[in-house]
Amino acid sequence: GENVEQHPSTLSVQEGDSAVIKCTYSDSASNYFPWYKQELGKGPQLIIDIRSNVGEKKDQRIAVTLNKTAKHFSLHITETQPEDSAVYFCAASKGNMLTFGGGTRLMVKP
Amino acid sequence: DTAVSQTPKYLVTQMGNDKSIKCEQNLGHDTMYWYKQDSKKFLKIMFSYNNKELIINETVPNRFSPKSPDKAHLNLHINSLELGDSAVYFCASSQGRAGGPNEQFFGPGTRLTVL
């Protein structure tokens, strides 16, 4: 089955700096890669996703890149703000089955 | 309006008891899921139902039995609760898409504590 590794497990940045979270996946048939943000006491919420026919996608301060050959994808957050502090999960999917990475706790210090 | 709702939000019970968690989505989606998030925040799929039919069952003990009375509801019944069942359980839903998987919308979670 699919295996998704996510790094780092914790990330602390100063407000205004950039944050990068990286994931690798094992199943080359996976074709959908969402990123979720989970705030304390809440369910995960999709912030951006990318499909295997695209190499990069951007939405305001958030961007995701995908390297299918190397089987890795990354989340980039620019100009971080304190409200970006949360746990971020990457996931990989073929069909409806999402396999999640272990999560990254991002702390943005004001 | 809440898209995916779960009840209860908190559930504290004794070992050996039977309990249920309810989930409803008002998004008109055809696929619903149950996930378990352990104390280390690891999220793992348990079940998936498409139009009331089970399509994913990920090596979950048969003490866990999902029930889908209609495509807007997916309830989770747990028999003979064990300490290791303590976790946060998330319901999610998505709409089928010809080109492949689609965004899954998650509920707020149910924190189950087994004493």
Side-chain angles (χ1 to χ4, degrees):
Chain A
E2 176 66 274
N3 183 46
V4 178
E5 301 275 345
Q6 183 172 345
H7 299 280
S9 56
T10 60
L11 179 58
S12 182
V13 300
Q14 208 64 39
E15 183 178 358
D17 287 351
S18 294
V20 179
I21 303 170
K22 298 183 179 183
C23 289
T24 60
Y25 61 100
S26 60
D27 189 345
S28 55
S30 289
N31 58 4
Y32 176 64
F33 306 91
W35 285 88
Y36 283 84
K37 176 184 180 182
Q38 186 178 20
E39 296 176 330
L40 195 62
K42 297 184 178 179
Q45 184 174 17
L46 183 80
I47 54 171
I48 195 166
D49 57 10
I50 191 167
R51 298 185 189 272
S52 57
N53 58 350
V54 174
E56 186 173 353
K57 185 175 177 181
K58 190 173 180 180
D59 182 4
Q60 298 182 353
R61 295 187 297 111
I62 296 172
V64 58
T65 58
L66 170 65
N67 183 327
K68 284 192 299 181
T69 305
K71 289 189 281 191
H72 65 69
F73 55 114
S74 301
L75 177 73
H76 304 251
I77 306 174
T78 58
E79 300 170 27
T80 53
Q81 300 166 4
E83 50 265 39
D84 293 330
S85 296
V87 179
Y88 291 80
F89 292 95
C90 64
S93 170
K94 56 176 179 179
N96 286 321
M97 183 162 164
L98 280 179
T99 300
F100 283 88
T104 297
R105 183 175 298 278
L106 174 64
M107 292 169 283
V108 180
K109 295 185 245 181
Chain B
D1 287 341
T2 305
V4 181
S5 59
Q6 296 178 228
T7 53
K9 187 163 176 64
Y10 300 97
L11 186 51
V12 181
T13 188
Q14 300 285 334
M15 268 175 44
N17 284 350
D18 303 339
K19 290 293 178 187
S20 292
I21 307 171
K22 295 186 176 182
C23 178
E24 176 181 2
Q25 55 96 3
N26 62 6
L27 297 166
H29 289 166
D30 58 6
T31 306
M32 296 184 72
Y33 312 80
W34 277 109
Y35 286 86
K36 180 180 180 180
Q37 186 171 47
D38 63 23
S39 58
K40 294 183 179 177
K41 294 287 191 183
F42 191 67
L43 262 170
K44 187 170 168 57
I45 189 157
M46 300 172 67
F47 300 102
S48 173
Y49 268 71
N50 179 266
N51 283 321
K52 302 195 297 174
E53 283 192 37
L54 180 67
I55 54 171
I56 296 173
N57 181 344
E58 281 294 299
T59 59
V60 177
N62 57 15
R63 297 183 295 104
F64 290 77
S65 52
K67 286 186 171 49
S68 182
D70 55 61
K71 72 174 194 175
H73 296 85
L74 181 62
N75 303 323
L76 184 64
H77 188 76
I78 315 170
N79 288 329
S80 303
L81 279 155
E82 300 177 356
L83 292 176
D85 298 332
S86 295
V88 181
Y89 292 84
F90 288 100
C91 177
S93 73
S94 69
Q95 181 58 39
R97 177 179 179 274
N102 219 353
E103 176 183 358
Q104 292 187 19
F105 291 78
F106 283 77
T110 296
R111 181 176 293 277
L112 171 65
T113 304
V114 182
L115 303 174

